[in-house]
């Protein structure tokens, strides 16, 4: 729940334009060959991710979250930007995320976070941050506002 939306309200991050979140168990096998923040600025991206998954995983709240996102848009009388073209079981892998905090702290995004929180999908359907990021961006921005960082040798491996 914290990494889904509470993080964007945390006072410790209030002064930052961008936040780069890495899981504690991420392993970088190569040097990061770029300035991840500069890429976000130059590409006008609101979310940068390492890996997008179209997976068949029924216990991560993907279907319930998608239904909730469609209801949210309908109740507020707007068309989701690209939710309809995303596979129903899609998510961004949460171990790497670069966030433009102007978008993630915006009123519409925070309102959507409150909506998902009130449904308690993080508890009842194990909806995680990976699914939340996919749903939030697909509601409010075009696919061009997303940036994939590929080929930097990352892997999310179990701690030993």
């Amino acid at each position: 729940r914290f990494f889904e939306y509470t993080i964007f309200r945390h006072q410790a991050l209030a002064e930052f334009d961008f936040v780069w979140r890495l899981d504690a168990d991420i392993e970088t096998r190569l040097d990061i060959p770029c300035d991840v923040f500069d890429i976000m600025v130059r590409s006008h991206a609101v979310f940068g991710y390492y890996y997008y998954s179209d997976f068949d995983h029924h216990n991560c709240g993907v279907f319930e979250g998608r239904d909730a996102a469609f209801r949210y848009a309908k109740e507020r009388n707007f068309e989701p930007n690209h939710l309809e073209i995303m596979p129903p079981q899609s998510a961004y892998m949460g171990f790497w995320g670069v966030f433009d905090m102007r978008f993630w702290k915006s009123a519409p995004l925070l309102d959507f976070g409150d909506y998902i929180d009130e449904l308690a999908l993080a508890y009842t359907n194990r909806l995680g941050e990976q699914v939340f990021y996919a749903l939030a961006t697909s509601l409010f921005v075009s696919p061009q506002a997303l940036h994939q960082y590929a080929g930097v040798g990352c892997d999310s491996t179990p701690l030993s």
Side-chain angles (χ1 to χ4, degrees):
R1 184 174 172 252
F2 176 75
F3 288 120
E4 288 178 37
Y5 35 81
T6 308
I7 188 173
F8 304 116
R9 295 174 184 211
H10 200 284
Q11 280 304 112
L13 302 178
E15 68 182 275
F16 297 102
D17 295 329
F18 293 92
V19 170
W20 182 11
R21 178 187 171 259
L22 301 171
D23 268 0
D25 64 346
I26 194 171
E27 177 182 343
T28 56
R29 298 193 176 129
L30 303 170
D31 290 341
I32 305 300
C34 60
D35 178 333
V36 298
F37 305 114
D38 182 56
I39 287 175
M40 294 289 288
V41 170
R42 286 188 292 116
S43 65
H44 305 285
V46 299
F47 180 61
Y49 62 98
Y50 183 72
Y51 181 66
Y52 173 84
S53 177
D54 178 11
F55 64 105
D56 185 18
H57 203 285
H58 296 287
N59 67 350
C60 287
V62 290
F63 298 106
E64 297 83 2
R66 184 181 172 89
D67 290 345
F70 275 117
R71 278 194 315 275
Y72 175 85
K74 184 177 182 179
E75 290 170 7
R76 284 156 181 77
N77 297 314
F78 76 93
E79 289 293 320
N81 190 288
H82 67 279
L83 182 60
E84 69 283 347
I85 65 171
M86 293 183 64
Q89 65 276 19
S90 58
Y92 297 104
M93 295 297 93
F95 64 84
W96 169 300
V98 184
F99 304 89
D100 180 335
M101 296 300 278
R102 292 167 296 190
F103 168 72
W104 292 94
K105 293 188 301 187
S106 69
L109 195 287
L110 295 176
D111 183 62
F112 178 62
D114 289 342
Y115 181 84
I116 294 295
D117 191 38
E118 288 171 13
L119 296 174
L121 293 178
Y123 303 107
T124 60
N125 294 91
R126 201 177 166 263
L127 185 132
E129 72 271 14
Q130 302 90 337
V131 176
F132 180 78
Y133 303 155
L135 297 174
T137 55
S138 69
L139 281 175
F140 299 112
V141 299
S142 72
Q144 291 75 28
L146 309 173
H147 181 80
Q148 182 177 14
Y149 295 89
V152 292
C154 291
D155 190 16
S156 183
T157 55
L159 294 173
S160 38

